[in-house]
Amino acid sequence: MAFGELYSALETRTVDGQENPYTVILSNKFYEVQKYVSATKHTFTLNIILASKAFWDKLSPTEQRLMHEAYEESRGYQKEQTRLQTEKALAELQAKGMQYNAIAPEETDRMRKTVQPVVDKISANLRPDTVKVFNDEVERIRKDVK
């Protein structure tokens, strides 16, 4: 479904739910046509910086170093700002009448177990070292969040 059709699809009950960051739910006024918002914590989206290889290769080693340093310096600030915007948007959604549902850790575990066969199927088509790096990073982040 095209994103532009989502509001009317929720309104007409063509779909009964959607998944988006709280800030997107707020800015698109989905609270007008959706009663509940749940904290699944299945994703945390950071803004990333991308550059083509052609662009990057045109930079001098000093410029590349400065770009790396600027990213390292701003990464924590950006992460904190994202968290603050998320908290503010959730509070606004609740103020506009959305019912907030926290997800119990047991339910999160149940959902993870349910989707594990899909994860395994996808992982089987990837390089094992890539899967290991990804899984190790997910575990590190989960420990940081708790």
Side-chain angles (χ1 to χ4, degrees), residues 11 16 45 48 63 80 84 86 90 100 103 117 129-130 137:
E11 186 174 36
D16 60 7
T45 305
I48 59 172
E63 291 169 324
E80 180 60 25
L84 292 172
T86 297
L90 178 57
Y100 173 76
I103 305 295
D129 58 323
T130 301
E137 186 64 9

Side-chain angles (χ1 to χ4, degrees), residues 4-119:
E5 298 172 8
L6 184 54
Y7 184 97
S8 63
L10 287 164
E11 186 174 36
T12 61
R13 299 188 185 267
T14 302
V15 298
D16 60 7
Q18 53 81 31
E19 179 277 332
N20 274 293
Y22 301 141
T23 53
V24 173
I25 296 169
L26 181 64
S27 65
N28 286 275
K29 300 184 179 183
F30 293 151
Y31 55 84
E32 295 176 343
V33 292
Q34 185 175 339
K35 183 176 179 179
Y36 302 99
V37 62
S38 299
T40 59
K41 299 180 185 178
H42 69 284
T43 184
F44 181 81
T45 305
L46 292 173
N47 295 325
I48 59 172
I49 298 170
L50 298 174
S52 71
K53 181 168 176 19
F55 169 81
W56 188 255
D57 289 346
K58 289 179 184 176
L59 298 176
S60 70
T62 300
E63 291 169 324
Q64 289 177 357
R65 179 182 53 76
L66 290 171
M67 293 283 282
H68 275 290
E69 289 172 2
Y71 173 74
E72 290 295 325
E73 182 179 327
S74 65
R75 181 175 50 197
Y77 175 78
Q78 187 273 324
K79 187 176 181 180
E80 180 60 25
Q81 290 304 305
T82 298
R83 285 188 198 282
L84 292 172
Q85 290 172 10
T86 297
E87 291 169 7
K88 181 181 176 190
L90 178 57
E92 288 185 48
L93 290 171
Q94 290 175 292
K96 292 182 181 298
M98 287 195 91
Q99 181 177 325
Y100 173 76
N101 299 307
I103 305 295
E106 302 79 31
E107 182 62 12
T108 300
D109 290 342
R110 186 191 69 75
M111 289 188 287
R112 283 187 185 135
K113 288 176 186 166
T114 300
V115 300
Q116 191 59 49
V118 176
V119 172

